[in-house]
Amino acid sequence: MTLAKELLEKRSAKFSSRPTVPYSLCFDPEQIYWVSVSGQTNFIARKLTAGIMAGVRLGETELLQQFEALICANRLLEDRGRNWFREINRTSASLVLSAAFGLHCPTGDEPELKEVVDCVAEMVSLHTPSASIINALPFLETLIPRWIPTPWRTRAAAFRRREDALYDRLVERAVNGEAAGMNTWAAAFASEDKPEGDQRKLMNIFTSAAYETTASSLQSFVLACVLHPVCAQRAQAELDNVVGPDRLPTFKDRAALPYVEALVRETLRWRPAIRLGVPHRSTADDVLQYEGKEYFIPSGSIVFPLNWAIEHDSTKYEAEDTFNPGRFIDEDSGQLKPGYETSAFGFGRRACPGAPFAERSLWINIATLLWTFDIRRSDEVDPRTGKKWEYGAADGWYSGAITNAPLEFPAVFEPRSARHAEVVREEWDGSEKDLNVLLPQEGRARR
Ligand code: HEM
């Protein structure tokens, strides 16, 4: 952690660029993916996002986030969690699509949601080094005349048309269509009443950055509940004490629930969503002193802040691979220990700008699921082995992709009592479902 902060925060002027693949010039010629680029585009996008997140910090999206957590709990009640994995994916996508474009996705079958997910998958695939020969032989791109439709150009152009069409539609609905009355992020980006002018094209990257990371963190939380029911029970005892049996938790309860907070922190630590971190690239030579030695870091070096190693540092975390939220609690006072720091959202000038929204999404979903359900192992038979499902959290149980999600596994979501189930249904029946009310325009006026 010290080393990562030294380079990526203290020396952020030199360590805040990104490596990218040569092929990106074909599928992102205008460099709208501000996660991958540096300079003015990134600066503008981060400034606009900081404005949006200031609203998130003020609570502008809390009603929406509570609403999405309520739907998730209600839908899990209906099938006792049979489709829980898919439901978490749906919730995570709906959270960002609602806030960004005013597009609520209550079923998971919405065509736009499917198109977003497909485009994210293709975008990730295009970024892999093996996606095109151009990554190995970049000179081909200049050598072969532009009018020749090479396979890599055809794929890149088809993707650009498809993704642009999708986001044009989504932004249009947020600015002039169905969601025009809402306080959406797209409206903030597209507004011309700001020095940066209309920056709607920078909206393409939001969903991909937001959706898989949130989903995989929640899926790791479910795995932790299955493997470590004692931790879930301690959180439930706290929820029973503070919230009681007659209503769901809300953000107003957050400060009074230190163990639930610790459980969210431990989920991010135990299985960080981006296990290897997102690489930074240096833009000037530098020298680092570390443990009595001197290291020369040439300009253009790729620096991975390895979240996994940082969060599993055995000198800082005892039994580092054990899920134990109690490590964040001062057992004498029962309160959170001071000085919390995490690498889960990255570092310095490239640190996750969506973190305020992300950690609120995690908190409300985790608090709601713990309040409502006992989440436990399923007795299902694993079709691959013909034996009872085995559970684990080692590498083999994870996807190993950039966003490292657990592989799908069955879990039972048992309502904690008939009363708990009834409260969820009652709150769902009585809840405000109109996004115009959940995302009121007054928030937009503040920006
Ligand atoms: C649990 C959920 C999330 C996790 C764990 C996460 C983690 C990260 C990490 C590790 C980075 C790279 C930081 C670095 O390079 O130092 C990042 C970047 C980014 N995240 Fe997140 N993120 C999450 C959710 C979100 C959400 C909800 C949004 C949007 C609302 C978002 C938007 C972004 C963007 C746009 C970047 C690129 C920033 C840049 O390159 O300048 N993320 N995130």
Side-chain angles (χ1 to χ4, degrees), residues 159-345:
F159 173 67
R160 181 65 21 243
R161 277 195 303 277
R162 179 179 179 186
E163 199 198 50
D164 284 350
L166 167 66
Y167 284 97
D168 283 351
R169 277 201 312 277
L170 288 176
V171 175
E172 192 53 27
R173 91 188 289 286
V175 177
N176 298 315
E178 270 172 83
M182 299 173 202
N183 176 19
T184 59
W185 300 347
F189 268 62
S191 159
E192 288 176 6
D193 306 337
K194 58 183 185 318
E196 298 81 13
D198 186 338
Q199 295 291 340
R200 66 180 66 202
K201 62 184 186 302
L202 301 180
M203 287 300 295
N204 283 33
I205 200 72
F206 255 120
T207 37
S208 49
Y211 137 75
E212 285 189 348
T213 44
T214 306
S216 79
S217 302
L218 290 172
Q219 286 153 351
S220 286
F221 152 74
V222 173
L223 185 59
C225 288
V226 165
L227 293 173
H228 305 278
V230 176
C231 302
Q233 283 155 13
R234 182 165 167 192
Q236 286 168 333
E238 186 180 74
L239 283 160
D240 292 348
N241 212 11
V242 173
V243 179
D246 297 324
R247 64 171 180 86
L248 284 164
T250 71
F251 282 105
K252 292 199 178 72
D253 302 309
R254 189 166 179 180
L257 294 164
Y259 192 83
V260 174
E261 192 72 42
L263 201 143
V264 175
R265 291 179 182 182
E266 182 66 346
T267 302
L268 288 168
R269 188 203 69 81
W270 181 62
R271 291 295 177 265
I274 306 183
R275 195 175 277 212
L276 302 182
V278 180
H280 292 214
R281 190 169 60 85
S282 67
T283 46
D285 291 349
D286 205 355
V287 173
L288 178 76
Q289 314 277 348
Y290 184 63
E291 293 185 340
K293 288 191 184 152
E294 208 168 71
Y295 295 87
F296 173 65
I297 308 174
S299 175
S301 296
I302 296 174
V303 180
F304 278 86
L306 291 176
N307 292 356
W308 179 269
I310 295 170
E311 300 301 333
H312 287 75
D313 177 352
S314 56
T315 61
K316 189 168 174 192
Y317 300 109
E318 202 189 318
E320 72 278 3
D321 204 34
T322 304
F323 184 85
N324 172 21
R327 67 176 80 245
F328 292 110
I329 298 283
D330 173 353
E331 292 298 346
D332 290 333
S333 66
Q335 296 305 309
L336 290 162
K337 287 180 188 164
Y340 170 64
E341 50 182 15
T342 176
S343 67
F345 294 107

Side-chain angles (χ1 to χ4, degrees), residues 73-91:
N74 192 43
R75 283 170 58 91
L76 290 172
L77 272 184
E78 281 166 23
D79 71 352
R80 290 187 77 224
R82 203 157 5 94
N83 289 313
W84 78 269
F85 203 86
R86 184 174 178 271
E87 181 54 25
I88 295 286
N89 285 337
R90 184 207 64 74
T91 304

Side-chain angles (χ1 to χ4, degrees), residues 18 34-35 42 46 209-210 213 278 280 344-347 350 352-353:
R18 292 268 196 231
W34 49 280
V35 173
N42 185 265
R46 291 192 70 97
T213 44
V278 180
H280 292 214
F345 294 107
F347 294 92
R350 301 309 289 244
C352 177

